[in-house]
């Protein structure tokens, strides 16, 4: 028997009972659609996390000044100004550290024309752009002169630009921060949300010296709120942390056995945890969807078994007129395979459509990859063969005289 | 004519009952059938007619003895070898017609050719020619359900003929038909016999058996007698 004939026989019997074929296929359609959809949602979430991590910058540390204790009440990190500008410069000297930026953030109202907006204004140095892997989309970063002379220049995040300037080009315009006039020298490229959902573009950067001397005053001269440091590579992260720890203990003259007056946080480890969590979530979604695929496969087996019983006499006739075991086996197997494959094709279409609808109407981040489609398709085909084999084997093992006698 | 088509020697068939008891249905039959013969097998129910028919049709293998069809011994054959033998050598006509209800007449007739590997273009041509021969050339695309019993049996005969078999096996072919239609079908068997085909027909009606050259009477799984000149019986 030629393959084209087997195909014809299988499609004829599929067409003979359309409702049943359709319902069996529905199991496959739902299974495959949910696999495609769940993988799309999972991978969307993963992509979002990966993007946030990339936007944060890689191999990052945050160095915070220590906690104060007043009358037994511990005030929490950053309450005692123990970290100095000089400390950060010393950290920058370490060979495992690629760049370090002092950070002096403060909330401040900004006014341009009739618009005003209050945001986090950060005093920092030009190394900040290297630490965060963040470059202006327009204009320039601070020059050494800006830092040395404490010039009133500012780089704006995209959100601030939108609120203060609308469609106007902010470059070269003068706005006021706490009533000090600042010239906009650059606009930062958009970074979107951070891992914890904050808008990273709602910020303005001014030179560290300007912030200290001209905007936020000078409660503790030379102090920074915290510093951001970037290691030269992922491999030296542990070494870098140890080196910074030693350096700061030495500089702060902390004797052994006494607590640190600073703390160092490894942001990359945090990011990896988040990435691992979303990956686990997306695998779990895929596994749940896989169960429905399995249920669809069992549906196919169920229907094929019914079909074999129902068509026992037909099988007997076919055998009497010369059908071999393999002819019967391949006919029923192909029928199961065709149901599962056409079901998965429709399932992929349905899954992609729903993913698209979810993305457009709920603004959810979904990523449909070719791999996930092929995976769903491949699993469906395997399910079809696996669950189609037993009924087909059963049909082909019938004895012709008994099959012919079957009423 | 003259060469031996079927040779049965001490042919036995046993069936195992559920209780483990073994029942012997055929008790060592010996007979030969020559090419071109028209043989009727008769006997009361339970005499082993159908069992013998299944053996002759290679639908089953004997429990003991040998059955040689054109010199090929079926005793040791696998199911697939039997299928191949059926496909090449035997055409079946059943009491209940056994056509596939969802297929057109031409597809029903062409089905044995599908299993013997004949290309599609040739299948159409051969099936059409044979359906015309049995007088149904104008209904190629009809379904079996749209035909009368006699017409359905003609389609079944056409299907039996399509692979140019050495042997036609008919199991009560007129059992479901009225007298007039039965005569038409038997006339068709007569003309096939005249063309030189070997036909074995199982029946319990003497009127039907009379069309054959020889009648083999079976009683309780044994050959009771073989009547050679069947036409003469009144």
């Amino acid at each position: 028997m030629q393959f084209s004939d087997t195909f014809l026989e299988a499609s004829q019997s599929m067409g003979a009972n359309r409702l049943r074929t359709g319902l069996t296929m529905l199991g496959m359609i739902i299974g495959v659609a949910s696999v495609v959809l769940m993988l799309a949602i999972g991978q969307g979430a993963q992509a979002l996390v990966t993007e946030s991590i990339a936007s944060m910058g890689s191999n990052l540390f945050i160095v915070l000044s220590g906690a104060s204790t007043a009358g037994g009440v511990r005030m929490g990190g950053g309450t005692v100004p123990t970290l100095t500008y000089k400390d950060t410069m010393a950290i920058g000297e370490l060979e495992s550290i690629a760049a370090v930026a002092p950070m002096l953030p403060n909330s401040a109202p900004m006014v341009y024309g009739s618009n005003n907006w209050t945001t986090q204004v950060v005093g920092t140095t030009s190394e900040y752009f290297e630490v965060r892997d963040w470059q202006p989309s327009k204009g320039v970063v601070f020059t050494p002169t800006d830092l040395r002379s404490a010039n009133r220049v500012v780089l704006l995040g995209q959100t601030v630009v939108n609120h203060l300037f609308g469609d106007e080009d902010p470059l070269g315009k003068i706005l006021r921060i706490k009533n000090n006039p600042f010239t906009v020298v650059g606009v930062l490229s958009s970074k979107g949300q951070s891992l914890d959902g904050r808008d990273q573009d709602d910020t303005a950067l001014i030179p560290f010296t300007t912030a200290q001397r001209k905007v936020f005053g000078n409660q503790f001269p030379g102090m920074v709120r915290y510093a951001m440091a970037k290691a030269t590579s992922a491999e030296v992260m542990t070494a870098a942390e140890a080196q910074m720890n030693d350096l700061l203990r030495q500089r702060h003259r902390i004797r052994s056995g006494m607590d640190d007056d600073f703390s160092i946080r490894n942001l990359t480890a945090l990011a990896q945890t988040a990435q691992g969590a979303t990956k686990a979530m997306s695998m779990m979604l895929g596994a749940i969807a896989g169960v429905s695929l399995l249920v669809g496969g069992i549906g196919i087996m169920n229907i094929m078994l019914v079909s074999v019983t129902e068509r026992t006499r037909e099988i007997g006739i076919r055998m009497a007129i010369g059908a071999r075991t393999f002819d019967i086996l391949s006919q029923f197997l192909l029928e199961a395979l065709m149901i599962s494959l056409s079901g998965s094709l429709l399932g992929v279409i349905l899954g992609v459509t729903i993913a698209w609808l979810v993305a457009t109407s709920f603004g959810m981040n979904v990523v449909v990859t070719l791999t996930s489609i092929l995976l769903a398709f491949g699993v469906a085909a395997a399910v079809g063969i696996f669950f189609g084999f037993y009924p087909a084997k059963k049909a082909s093992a019938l004895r012709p005289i008994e099959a012919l006698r079957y009423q | 004519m003259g060469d031996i088509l079927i040779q049965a020697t001490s042919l036995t068939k046993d069936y195992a009952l559920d209780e483990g008891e073994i029942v012997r249905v055929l008790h060592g039959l010996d007979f030969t059938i020559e090419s071109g013969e028209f043989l009727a097998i008769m006997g009361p129910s339970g005499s082993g007619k159908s069992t013998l028919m299944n053996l002759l049709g290679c639908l089953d293998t004997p429990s003991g003895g040998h059955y040689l069809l054109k010199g090929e011994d079926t005793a040791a054959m696998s199911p697939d070898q039997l299928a191949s033998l059926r496909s090449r050598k035997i055409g079946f006509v059943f009491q209940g017609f056994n056509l596939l209800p969802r297929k057109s007449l031409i597809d029903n007739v062409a089905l044995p050719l599908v299993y013997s590997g004949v290309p599609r273009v040739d299948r159409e041509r051969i099936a059409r020619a044979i359906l015309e021969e049995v007088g149904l050339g104008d209904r190629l695309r009809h379904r079996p359900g749209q035909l009368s019993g006699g017409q359905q049996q003609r389609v079944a005969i056409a299907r039996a003929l399509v692979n140019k078999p050495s042997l036609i096996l008919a199991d009560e072919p007129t059992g479901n038909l009225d007298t007039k239609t039965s005569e038409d079908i038997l006339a068709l068997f007569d003309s096939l016999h005249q063309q030189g085909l070997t036909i074995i027909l199982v029946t319990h009606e003497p009127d039907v058996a009379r069309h054959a050259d020889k009648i083999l009477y079976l009683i309780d799984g044994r050959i009771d007698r073989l009547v050679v000149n069947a036409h003469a019986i009144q």
Side-chain angles (χ1 to χ4, degrees):
Chain A
M1 198 177 183
Q2 292 154 343
F3 177 75
S4 63
D5 293 319
T6 314
F7 180 78
L8 215 66
E9 291 291 341
S11 35
Q12 269 178 5
S13 44
M14 266 175 78
N17 210 329
R18 288 203 189 80
L19 179 65
R20 184 194 286 178
T21 308
L23 287 172
T24 314
M25 234 186 245
L26 195 61
M28 258 359 244
I29 294 173
I30 292 171
V32 170
S34 55
V35 167
V36 169
L37 184 64
M38 290 301 130
L39 286 179
I41 290 173
Q43 281 175 335
Q46 250 178 295
L48 207 64
V49 169
T50 312
E51 200 181 297
S52 310
I53 289 166
S55 75
M56 194 178 71
S58 49
N59 309 330
L60 274 189
F61 288 107
I62 285 186
V63 185
L64 290 155
S65 52
S68 69
T69 306
V73 180
R74 299 169 77 191
M75 305 297 283
T79 47
V80 184
T82 51
L83 200 64
T84 65
Y85 181 71
K86 281 177 181 159
D87 284 338
T88 66
M89 291 303 108
I91 288 171
E93 303 285 307
L94 291 171
E95 61 181 46
S96 56
I97 297 297
V100 63
M103 302 290 282
L104 205 56
N106 242 309
S107 186
M110 305 173 76
V111 181
Y112 174 76
S114 58
N115 298 328
N116 72 85
W117 182 249
T118 301
T119 188
Q120 185 90 331
V121 176
V122 181
T124 186
T125 64
S126 54
E127 281 201 55
Y128 179 74
F129 303 100
E130 194 187 334
V131 171
R132 295 288 316 268
D133 295 321
W134 203 0
Q135 293 306 320
S137 61
K138 275 194 248 179
V140 293
V141 301
F142 310 134
T143 62
T145 321
D146 288 335
L147 277 162
R148 215 169 27 245
S149 332
N151 286 341
R152 289 187 177 93
V153 291
V154 63
L155 276 95
L156 300 178
Q158 196 58 55
T159 305
V160 178
V161 170
N162 294 343
H163 284 294
L164 287 180
F165 293 91
D167 295 332
E168 217 180 312
D169 181 8
L171 274 193
K173 299 279 160 38
I174 292 171
L175 52 73
R176 279 175 295 137
I177 301 173
K178 276 190 152 181
N179 288 327
N180 293 291
F182 276 76
T183 310
V184 180
V185 293
V187 176
L188 292 162
S189 56
S190 180
K191 267 191 183 280
Q193 278 191 4
S194 71
L195 272 179
D196 53 8
R198 273 181 302 115
D199 180 4
Q200 299 185 89
D201 297 323
D202 190 5
T203 190
L205 303 176
I206 58 175
F208 180 74
T209 43
T210 318
Q212 244 187 354
R213 295 179 206 157
K214 298 181 174 165
V215 187
F216 303 132
N218 216 351
Q219 205 184 348
F220 303 103
M223 294 298 160
V224 301
R225 184 74 56 80
Y226 64 96
M228 289 184 93
K230 180 191 180 73
T232 49
S233 71
E235 288 74 42
V236 300
M237 290 292 283
T238 324
E241 191 170 346
Q243 285 171 12
M244 282 192 288
N245 202 52
D246 289 348
L247 178 81
L248 289 177
R249 283 182 75 91
Q250 206 174 30
R251 287 181 62 88
H252 295 179
R253 298 192 178 83
I254 300 168
R255 276 171 286 147
S256 62
M258 288 185 65
D259 288 343
D260 292 341
D261 62 354
F262 58 89
S263 61
I264 297 171
R265 289 188 199 156
N266 183 337
L267 287 187
T268 310
L270 214 75
Q272 277 165 351
T273 312
Q275 205 163 23
T278 39
K279 195 167 184 181
M281 183 195 79
S282 105
M283 279 173 73
M284 192 189 72
L285 286 177
I288 292 171
V291 170
S292 61
L293 205 57
L294 198 71
V295 173
I298 293 169
I300 288 182
M301 177 148 83
N302 186 12
I303 285 305
M304 292 309 292
L305 280 173
V306 170
S307 173
V308 167
T309 311
E310 228 180 43
R311 283 152 67 190
T312 300
R313 197 180 175 81
E314 178 195 323
I315 294 166
I317 297 170
R318 286 175 184 275
M319 284 177 160
I321 62 176
R324 284 165 199 80
T325 321
F326 181 75
D327 297 328
I328 302 291
L329 182 82
S330 53
Q331 182 188 333
F332 280 88
L333 195 56
L334 192 66
E335 193 178 327
L337 192 61
M338 279 165 65
I339 290 176
S340 75
L341 282 187
S342 37
S344 18
L345 192 69
L346 292 173
V348 165
I349 294 170
L350 185 70
V352 171
T353 312
I354 295 177
W356 178 80
L357 281 176
V358 164
T360 48
S361 44
F362 300 113
M364 233 165 127
N365 200 41
V366 297
V367 178
V368 178
T369 61
L370 189 64
T371 325
S372 66
I373 289 175
L374 290 179
L375 182 79
F377 218 81
V379 171
V383 160
I385 292 176
F386 185 79
F387 289 109
F389 190 79
Y390 174 68
K393 186 79 199 165
K394 202 178 161 196
S396 69
L398 285 170
R399 288 163 47 114
I401 44 169
E402 279 159 19
L404 272 173
R405 223 183 287 142
Y406 188 85
Q407 292 302 318
Chain B
M1 285 214 196
D3 45 323
I4 291 170
L5 179 67
I6 285 171
Q7 185 165 21
T9 43
S10 352
L11 204 59
T12 60
K13 184 68 190 177
D14 303 329
Y15 284 111
L17 297 180
D18 288 340
E19 297 85 43
E21 201 183 334
I22 288 170
V23 172
R24 176 150 291 189
V25 182
L26 296 177
H27 297 266
L29 307 186
D30 291 284
F31 60 93
T32 56
I33 298 167
E34 290 173 4
S35 269
E37 273 192 287
F38 189 165
L39 176 85
I41 299 173
M42 287 192 77
S45 31
S47 60
K49 290 193 307 267
S50 293
T51 307
L52 180 58
M53 191 75 175
N54 288 338
L55 290 182
L56 293 177
C58 302
L59 289 168
D60 210 347
T61 49
S63 309
H66 295 279
Y67 166 48
L68 275 69
L69 178 65
K70 270 206 156 177
E72 292 185 65
D73 193 347
T74 61
M77 281 190 175
S78 72
D80 277 354
Q81 285 172 312
L82 288 174
S84 155
L85 198 61
R86 290 196 294 270
S87 166
R88 287 179 285 119
K89 302 272 165 67
I90 302 168
F92 287 95
V93 180
F94 302 94
Q95 178 177 7
F97 321 133
N98 278 348
L99 299 171
L100 298 187
R102 282 197 276 268
K103 284 187 182 291
S104 65
L105 300 192
I106 192 161
D107 284 346
N108 260 293
V109 173
L111 196 57
L113 298 171
V114 170
Y115 291 121
S116 56
V118 176
R120 183 164 308 153
V121 273
D122 298 331
R123 294 204 298 256
E124 282 267 326
R125 188 174 46 73
I126 297 168
R128 184 190 301 267
I130 292 186
L131 273 170
E132 278 164 6
E133 218 174 289
V134 299
L136 290 165
D138 53 340
R139 315 218 164 161
L140 301 178
R141 305 288 163 200
H142 285 55
R143 308 260 153 148
Q146 297 168 291
L147 303 184
S148 70
Q151 286 170 325
Q152 288 193 48
Q153 196 59 300
R154 282 170 187 276
V155 177
I157 293 170
R159 183 179 66 186
L161 291 171
V162 79
N163 257 335
K164 302 201 182 317
S166 318
L167 173 65
I168 297 285
L169 279 174
D171 189 1
E172 304 271 11
T174 57
N176 282 5
L177 303 174
D178 60 54
T179 323
K180 171 73 183 65
T181 322
S182 296
E183 281 307 318
D184 290 348
I185 293 295
L186 289 168
L188 185 56
F189 278 114
D190 285 337
S191 82
L192 293 174
H193 176 226
Q194 252 121 56
Q195 290 166 33
L197 261 161
T198 315
I199 299 168
I200 299 178
L201 188 150
V202 173
T203 184
H204 59 270
E205 295 173 68
D207 285 346
V208 173
R210 210 172 294 133
H211 285 259
D213 301 328
K214 293 183 183 173
I215 302 176
L216 186 74
Y217 286 94
L218 276 184
I219 291 175
D220 292 337
R222 292 188 173 82
I223 295 176
D224 185 58
R225 62 187 195 278
L226 181 70
V227 176
V228 178
N229 196 355
H231 300 297
I233 300 172
Q234 290 303 313

